[in-house]
């Protein structure tokens, strides 16, 4: 009479054992798949984090190089303007000095010639020479007494010496002015030459530094573009890993209040109870010690 009931109980036991096996297999599969998905997500997260830090570093470096480029360009512009202004001022100063020297030399030459003419005249006059006299035949008037006008003219020797002295003073002034201006021109030229040399050296250095900065800026921009492309690719892989992990959660993460372990324990208890019931039905007399 208990055959049908025993069959039902046996079927229930077999079904519960199959469910336990399925749970065990499913749990193993979930552990493996969830582990791989979480590992992949962690790897991609670390990689995107590393790329992000590298990009931030490159952006900071690019910003600094741009600042260096702007600073050097401004300094080069200022040095060029300063050198241009100084060159224009030097040219104007040189032209003025050369004119002053030429004027002094011209004045000195004129005074020197005037002194020569006066000294020559008064020397000849003092010696009784008359450059403007003519030889004439004697006539009756030659027997008349001599007058002042008939004596040889010797010039105003005292006044002449005074004029010559004044001209010599003026000549000395012209010589000192020429010498002073020449010395000033030489000093100005030396100062400008030193300034120009130092400025050109500074310009050469700054242009070299700017060239290096611009070369590094180009390299940094290229590296930045590469890293941004890598980040976009790796971010896509990270998003895929997160989506894959989310797809596994409904099948592998139990949302029930009762955990898998609790269900397994309850299933085990149920199987034991069914086995005990089956034992009793197979041995109603209790000889099997169920």
């Amino acid at each position: 009479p208990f055959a049908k009931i025993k069959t039902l109980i046996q079927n229930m036991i077999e079904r519960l054992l199959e469910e336990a096996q399925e749970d065990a297999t499913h749990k193993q599969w979930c552990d493996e798949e969830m582990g791989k998905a979480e590992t992949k997500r962690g790897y991609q997260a670390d990689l995107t984090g590393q790329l992000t830090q590298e990009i931030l570093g490159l952006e900071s470096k690019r910003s600094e190089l741009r600042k260096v480029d702007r600073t050097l360009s401004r300094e080069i512009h200022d040095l060029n303007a300063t050198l241009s202004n100084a060159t224009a001022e030097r040219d104007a100063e040189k032209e003025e000095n050369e004119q002053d020297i030429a004027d002094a030399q011209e004045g000195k030459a004129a005074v020197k010639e005037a002194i020569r003419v006066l000294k020559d005249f008064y020397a000849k006059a003092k010696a009784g020479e008359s450059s403007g006299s003519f030889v004439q035949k004697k006539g009756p008037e030659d027997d008349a007494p001599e007058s002042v006008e008939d004596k040889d003219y010797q010039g105003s020797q005292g006044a002449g010496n005074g004029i010559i002295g004044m001209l010599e003073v003026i000549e000395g002034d012209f010589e000192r002015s020429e010498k002073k201006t020449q010395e000033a021109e030489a000093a100005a030229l030396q100062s400008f030459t030193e300034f120009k040399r130092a400025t050109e050296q500074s310009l050469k250095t700054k242009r070299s530094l700017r060239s290096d900065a611009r070369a590094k800026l180009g390299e940094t921009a290229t590296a930045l573009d590469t890293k941004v492309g890598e980040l976009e690719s790796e971010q896509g892989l990270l998003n895929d890993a997160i989506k894959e992990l989310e797809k596994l959660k409904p099948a592998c993460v139990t949302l029930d209040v009762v955990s898998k372990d609790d269900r397994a324990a309850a299933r085990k208890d149920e199987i034991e109870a069914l086995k005990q019931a089956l034992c009793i039905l197979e041995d109603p007399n209790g000889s099997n010690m169920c």
Side-chain angles (χ1 to χ4, degrees):
F2 301 114
K4 187 173 183 180
I5 295 175
K6 288 191 292 183
T7 300
L8 291 174
I9 291 174
Q10 186 62 42
N11 290 338
M12 289 180 65
I13 291 173
E14 291 177 357
R15 180 176 60 79
L16 290 171
L17 289 173
E18 289 176 359
E19 288 180 359
Q21 182 61 38
E22 288 175 358
D23 275 357
T25 302
H26 182 71
K27 183 178 184 302
Q28 182 180 1
W29 177 83
C30 281
D31 289 343
E32 292 177 356
E33 294 302 316
M34 289 287 289
K36 289 190 291 185
E38 288 175 350
T39 299
K40 184 178 180 181
R41 181 192 62 181
Y43 171 77
Q44 292 301 142
D46 291 343
L47 189 55
T48 53
Q50 178 182 345
L51 286 170
T52 299
Q53 291 301 315
E54 291 178 2
I55 288 171
L56 291 174
L58 288 170
E59 287 177 340
S60 177
K61 183 179 180 180
R62 181 180 63 179
S63 177
E64 185 63 27
L65 287 171
R66 284 175 173 173
K67 181 179 179 181
V68 170
D69 181 34
R70 289 193 301 269
T71 299
L72 288 171
S73 294
R74 183 175 61 253
E75 291 176 350
I76 289 171
H77 175 270
D78 292 343
L79 284 174
N80 278 325
T82 300
L83 181 58
S84 178
N85 292 335
T87 301
E89 292 176 359
R90 173 83 276 271
D91 291 342
E93 183 182 31
K94 179 182 178 182
E95 183 178 356
E96 182 180 355
N97 286 337
E98 288 177 345
Q99 185 61 51
D100 289 344
I101 291 170
D103 291 344
Q105 289 175 343
E106 183 179 352
K108 182 176 69 171
V111 171
K112 195 176 191 70
E113 179 62 17
I115 292 173
R116 187 194 67 77
V117 169
L118 290 175
K119 282 185 175 180
D120 184 62
F121 171 79
Y122 285 114
K124 288 180 179 181
K126 187 175 183 180
E129 298 179 4
S130 177
S131 59
S133 61
F134 296 93
V135 179
Q136 298 178 354
K137 295 180 179 180
K138 290 186 177 182
E141 67 275 10
D142 294 330
D143 297 330
E146 291 184 357
S147 65
V148 176
E149 286 78 3
D150 294 331
K151 295 179 180 179
D152 289 335
Y153 182 71
Q154 294 184 354
S156 301
Q157 294 290 330
N161 289 333
I163 293 173
I164 291 172
M166 292 178 62
L167 288 174
E168 288 175 342
V169 171
I170 295 173
E171 181 185 16
D173 291 341
F174 277 127
E175 288 180 351
R176 283 189 295 274
S177 177
E178 178 186 2
K179 183 179 179 182
K180 182 178 180 181
T181 305
Q182 287 174 338
E183 291 174 349
E185 170 61 21
L189 177 59
Q190 181 180 356
S191 177
F192 174 75
T193 300
E194 293 174 355
F195 166 77
K196 182 180 179 182
R197 186 182 299 114
T199 302
E200 288 177 342
Q201 181 60 44
S202 181
L203 281 169
K204 181 179 179 181
T205 300
K206 291 182 183 298
R207 288 192 181 109
S208 178
L209 290 173
R210 185 177 65 176
S211 179
D212 291 343
R214 287 180 174 177
K216 291 179 181 178
L217 187 58
E219 294 172 0
T220 302
T222 300
L224 186 58
D225 290 340
T226 300
K227 291 298 179 181
V228 168
E230 291 178 1
L231 178 61
E232 291 175 352
S233 176
E234 298 301 334
Q235 184 64 50
L237 294 176
L238 175 60
N239 293 338
D240 292 342
I242 292 173
K243 289 178 182 178
E244 184 179 349
L245 191 59
E246 291 298 321
K247 287 180 181 179
L248 290 172
K249 283 184 178 180
C252 296
V253 178
T254 304
L255 300 178
D256 299 337
V257 177
V258 182
S259 67
K260 287 183 178 180
D261 292 338
D262 291 339
R263 286 204 308 273
R267 186 184 295 114
K268 181 179 179 181
D269 291 341
E270 184 177 1
I271 290 172
E272 291 299 325
L274 288 171
K275 284 182 177 180
Q276 187 175 9
L278 182 60
C279 180
I280 291 172
L281 291 176
E282 290 179 344
D283 185 17
N285 298 321
S287 57
N288 290 335
M289 300 298 292
C290 297

